[in-house]
Amino acid sequence: MDAELTTQVDDLASLIRQASRAVAFTGAGLSTECGIPDFRSPGGLWTRNKPIPFDAFLASREVRSEAWRRKFAMDATFSAAVPGRGHRALAGMVRSGRLAGIITQNIDNLHQDSGVPDGQLIELHGNGTYAHCLDCRQRYDLDWVRGRFHAAGGQAPDCEACLGPVKAATISFGQAMPEEEMRQAVRWTLSSDLFLAIGSSLVVYPAAGLPASARQNGARLVIINGEETPLDAMADLVIRADIGTVLEAAGDRLAASGLS
Ligand code: NAD
Ligand code: ZN
C-alpha cells in the first residue's frame, strides 16, 4: 500500500472512530473480489445481456423463461461465492458497534453470510437466493423453480397457490422499490453522521440519492470505489482503490485501537 493510500485509510479509520452513527451503503463493487461480476465493468455478465425490464417479465411467459434461463446460468457463480475481505471487515465493524447498519444494493446474501444480523441490514434491491410469487408473495426455493423449469422443457413455472408469476426476489429495472426498505434506508441515512458509499457507481436512482441526502443533511460522506462517481465532488474523503484492501486495512486499524 503506497503512502497516499495509507494516509487515506488512516483518515477513514479516524472518521469511523469519531462517528456516533456510521452507516455503510454497498454496491456490486464490494462483491467482485468474491467472483461475482459487477453490473457495468467490461466483461460483467450483464454486459452480454441487456437487463429484462419488469413489464416485459410480466407480459410474457417466453420472457419469464428467458429470465430464469439466465438466472440459472449465473447461479453457479452466485452460490459458490463466500464473503470477501470487505464483507468481513464491515461485519466486524457492525459487531464492535462502529457501524450502526448496512444498506445494500446487492442481492447476493453475502452480508448475511458474513454475520450481519437482519436488523442491521437493509436490502434495497431484494435477494437473489430465493424466489417468490409476485401476486401472493408465496416463497419458493430456487431448486423448486429449477425442477419445474426443467420438467416443463425450459418454461417458467407459475405459483402453485394462485398461478401468479414466480420471480427471483430481486428488484428489476422498472419495478417499484420496496417501500418499507426504502423508508427505513432514508431514516438511517438522515440519522447518520458518517455515510460510507462503497463499491457503487452511484448512478442507479433512487438508491444513489441516499449518499447525497446524507451529505446535505450534514453527515460526513466517504466514497470508496475503483472509479470516479458523480458524487465525488461532494465527498469529504474519496478513496479510489481496491475495496477489499481498503476495508481490511481500516478494520485492522480500528481493531488495534480498541473501543477508546
Ligand atoms: P455498479 O456495477 O454500477 O458499480 C460497481 C462499481 O464498483 C464500479 O464503479 C466499479 O468500478 C467498482 N468496483 C468493482 N470492483 C471493485 C473493487 N474491487 N475495488 C474498487 N472498486 C470496484 O454497481 P451498483 O452501483 O451497485 O449497481 C448495480 C446494480 O446491479 C445493483 O443495484 C445491484 O442490485 C445489481 N447487482 C448486484 C450484484 C451483487 O449482488 N453482487 C452484482 C451485480 C449487480
Ligand atoms: Zn401466488
Side-chain angles (χ1 to χ4, degrees):
M1 199 182 287
D2 65 23
E4 191 196 350
L5 187 55
T6 302
T7 306
Q8 289 181 324
V9 169
D10 287 341
D11 292 347
L12 171 62
S14 310
L15 285 169
I16 296 172
R17 223 179 276 121
Q18 289 158 17
S20 45
R21 211 183 136 73
V23 167
F25 174 71
T26 64
L30 179 65
S31 297
T32 53
E33 71 170 353
C34 313
I36 300 176
D38 63 13
F39 199 91
R40 288 175 183 79
S41 294
L45 286 171
W46 285 263
T47 56
R48 286 183 240 154
N49 285 314
K50 258 179 44 190
I52 296 173
F54 188 56
D55 55 356
F57 183 93
L58 289 181
S60 107
R61 183 180 310 277
E62 223 169 283
V63 173
R64 289 197 287 283
S65 301
E66 170 63 14
W68 280 112
R69 215 171 1 258
R70 291 185 194 178
K71 170 78 183 159
F72 295 138
M74 290 184 316
D75 196 50
T77 305
F78 272 86
S79 43
V82 297
R85 292 169 301 166
H87 296 96
R88 293 198 300 270
L90 291 175
M93 293 177 205
V94 169
R95 233 179 355 257
S96 65
R98 299 282 195 196
L99 206 54
I102 300 173
I103 303 168
T104 191
Q105 295 181 274
N106 294 342
I107 55 156
D108 53 27
N109 210 60
L110 292 178
H111 284 301
Q112 290 93 328
D113 291 346
S114 68
V116 176
D118 286 347
Q120 282 168 287
L121 180 68
I122 301 172
E123 290 180 312
L124 289 181
H125 293 168
N127 188 299
T129 63
Y130 63 93
H132 59 193
C133 168
L134 290 173
D135 290 345
C136 75
R137 313 317 277 187
Q138 165 82 39
R139 185 175 162 140
Y140 292 97
D141 290 340
L142 295 184
D143 282 345
W144 178 89
V145 182
R146 196 184 280 106
R148 288 307 195 85
F149 177 86
H150 289 309
Q155 293 283 305
D158 295 326
C159 174
E160 283 187 321
C162 79
L163 302 181
V166 174
K167 182 179 174 295
T170 52
I171 305 296
S172 297
F173 285 93
Q175 186 174 1
M177 296 288 286
E179 279 176 31
E180 184 44 39
E181 280 83 352
M182 198 59 207
R183 259 197 301 274
Q184 201 180 353
V186 169
R187 275 199 300 272
W188 286 14
T189 299
L190 296 180
S191 65
S192 70
D193 62 353
L194 176 65
F195 197 91
L196 312 173
I198 301 165
S200 175
S201 54
L202 301 179
V203 296
V204 181
Y205 278 82
L210 297 172
S213 302
R215 183 73 192 85
Q216 279 147 14
N217 195 48
R220 299 270 182 84
L221 175 62
V222 177
I223 295 177
I224 308 170
N225 201 49
E227 58 178 23
E228 207 176 337
T229 83
L231 301 188
D232 287 359
M234 66 163 72
D236 297 277
L237 174 64
V238 175
I239 306 183
R240 209 165 286 161
D242 178 63
I243 291 163
T245 306
V246 169
L247 291 179
E248 183 178 57
D252 288 349
R253 293 216 194 355
L254 290 168
S257 68
L259 273 174
S260 57

